Amino acid sequence: MMRNRLLLGVGLVSLGAFSSSCSKESPSPGPSPAATAPAPAPEQPPKPKMSYEKLVSFFRPVATVKAAETRADPAERIALGRMLFFENRLSKNHDISCNSCHDLATFGVDGKPTSEGHKGQKGNRNAPTVFHAAGHIAQFWDGRATTLEEQAAGPMLNPVEMAMPDQKRLLATLNSIPQYVKGFKESFPGEKNPVSVTNAARAIAAFERKLLTTSRFDKFLAGDERALTEQERRGLDLFAASGCTTCHNGPSLGGTSFQKLGLIEEYPTGDKGRFEVTKNEEDLHKFRVPTLRNVEKTGPWFHDGSVKDLPTAVRLMAKHQLGIAFADAEVDDLVAFLKSLTGELPGPEVLAPPELPPSTRTTPKPDPT
């Protein structure tokens, strides 16, 4: 099957609902036209397996991801970040939290093409999962935030999302609740003004660094070749041989680079992607490659949430990124491999909403306007 897969490898660039990006992205020029998946190619003879050592090498840590993203955070800061992640009062109308769009009980997504913010407003990009977001080179589909901390500060003040009118209102809310004042002092000892928007984002980021899952694929990477079924191993071999690992590499199987959507064959989208951030023509229609961890659970897929089933997503990415039309059996094998990336969610100490402190008479009231 002479498809030049290794030379064309740029992977399944928009697969996944990934990142610890905000609940929605900044509005883009408009919704994407529906893309049509190519017809399957005829069956081909099986190819020899790639060596275990070679396969494992694709998923080692890469230099482009900052080591600081995996640093240890104080327990007090993580606990505060967990509370703030579930805190609706960080939104103008007290009805939206980080968890609203990145539901931890459903692998960090809400299952919608685009999430609903203040007054039901919607952006034009899908809300990626927050699980494994710490392993990304940047946050948001367009990479406009370079760290988890920078990303976490955005949604609270975004008028389409949590819609806090300004930092003054946000700080008034936090300072009106004694338990939060105490929590900030314990989390950021020695600071003159520990209650700040910057520190709120630092706490949320500390909690998000704990949002990891472990799958059977991790057992495979650790040396247990029997952790994957025969079909899943075939899918992994095909995934690597076709060049998908050029983009979906490293421990998170993605998040380490920006790639053009429609590299080989133009993809129908009005979203200019990273170009909106850099204004560089080379970044037109480029997006941060999403993680494929838990991809089975994080649909609908692509930057606009337009694809509703995983086999179609695989076919579309093969067509537009690789110039390949996979046979039905190959798609089945690839999907089987992708499902092996589904991990175990953390326990209730992470997933369950914590008990939040009560409001006081000075806490700003909900504002539906």
Side-chain angles (χ1 to χ4, degrees):
M1 182 166 49
M2 300 298 295
R3 296 173 176 171
N4 294 322
R5 289 172 172 166
L6 288 173
L7 295 177
L8 294 173
V10 285
L12 308 170
V13 170
S14 289
L15 186 55
F18 316 88
S19 184
S20 92
S21 297
C22 66
S23 54
K24 287 175 296 302
E25 299 278 354
S26 297
S28 59
S32 300
T36 304
E43 298 289 341
Q44 299 290 335
K47 286 190 174 293
K49 284 185 178 181
M50 192 175 291
S51 72
Y52 171 79
E53 291 74 17
K54 180 64 175 177
L55 287 172
V56 170
S57 70
F58 293 121
F59 308 107
R60 293 183 180 130
V62 294
T64 50
V65 177
K66 299 179 180 67
E69 291 289 3
T70 58
R71 67 179 180 269
D73 295 289
E76 296 84 359
R77 191 174 300 176
I78 294 171
L80 174 63
R82 180 183 172 219
M83 296 174 72
L84 297 177
F85 189 89
F86 285 91
E87 181 55 84
N88 287 334
R89 287 167 294 186
L90 297 182
S91 66
K92 184 178 183 181
N93 198 37
H94 295 193
D95 56 355
I96 299 172
S97 70
C98 300
N99 194 69
S100 298
C101 303
H102 301 285
D103 191 341
L104 300 187
T106 54
F107 289 87
V109 299
D110 60 7
K112 301 175 183 178
T114 56
S115 303
E116 296 179 0
H118 183 63
K119 297 169 59 176
Q121 297 176 89
K122 293 185 179 181
N124 289 328
R125 290 182 185 152
N126 178 262
T129 177
V130 287
F131 282 96
H132 297 276
H136 292 169
I137 190 175
Q139 306 301 320
F140 299 105
W141 283 99
D142 57 17
R144 64 182 181 273
T146 58
T147 64
L148 285 176
E149 287 82 358
E150 188 179 345
Q151 180 280 319
M156 293 180 284
L157 298 170
N158 188 313
V160 178
E161 298 179 38
M162 298 170 79
M164 276 293 201
D166 48 42
Q167 291 193 18
K168 181 178 179 181
R169 166 71 178 266
L170 186 55
L171 293 178
T173 299
L174 293 171
N175 280 309
S176 73
I177 302 173
Q179 291 92 326
Y180 276 138
V181 174
K182 179 182 178 183
F184 274 89
K185 288 180 178 179
E186 293 174 345
S187 299
F188 303 97
E191 293 196 12
K192 184 177 180 180
N193 298 302
V195 182
S196 68
V197 175
T198 297
N199 283 347
R202 290 172 67 188
I204 293 172
F207 172 65
E208 289 182 338
R209 274 189 279 275
K210 305 296 289 184
L211 299 179
L212 304 170
T213 61
T214 302
S215 67
R216 285 187 294 110
F217 184 62
D218 290 295
K219 295 180 180 179
F220 178 84
L221 294 179
D224 183 3
E225 293 192 55
R226 296 176 297 179
L228 300 183
T229 67
E230 182 178 345
Q231 183 184 31
E232 291 165 350
R233 176 62 184 269
R234 287 199 310 268
L236 172 56
D237 284 329
L238 182 58
F239 185 84
S242 300
C244 301
T245 51
T246 302
C247 300
H248 291 287
N249 51 43
S252 296
L253 287 87
T256 62
S257 65
F258 296 94
Q259 297 292 342
K260 180 181 179 181
L261 177 59
L263 183 70
I264 303 301
E265 182 174 330
E266 184 178 356
Y267 188 90
T269 179
D271 193 327
K272 295 181 180 181
R274 186 156 175 74
F275 172 82
E276 296 289 354
V277 178
T278 67
K279 305 304 179 184
N280 185 338
E281 289 291 337
E282 293 184 359
D283 289 329
L284 189 61
H285 305 310
K286 279 188 177 180
F287 297 90
R288 191 211 61 220
V289 178
T291 175
L292 294 184
R293 292 255 179 195
N294 305 308
V295 66
E296 173 194 10
K297 303 292 187 180
T298 55
W301 297 276
F302 291 24
H303 64 286
D304 54 3
S306 61
V307 179
K308 297 181 179 179
D309 68 272
L310 208 47
T312 296
V314 169
R315 286 192 170 96
L316 287 172
M317 286 295 96
K319 173 184 178 182
H320 293 281
Q321 303 308 118
L322 301 171
I324 291 174
F326 285 124
D328 286 346
E330 291 177 314
V331 173
D332 290 344
D333 289 349
L334 285 166
V335 170
F337 163 63
L338 293 176
K339 289 183 177 181
S340 78
L341 303 175
T342 301
E344 296 182 8
L345 288 171
E349 70 281 358
V350 173
L351 298 184
E355 182 178 354
L356 300 178
S359 297
T360 66
R361 62 181 181 82
T362 62
T363 303
K365 304 300 182 185
D367 183 355
T369 63

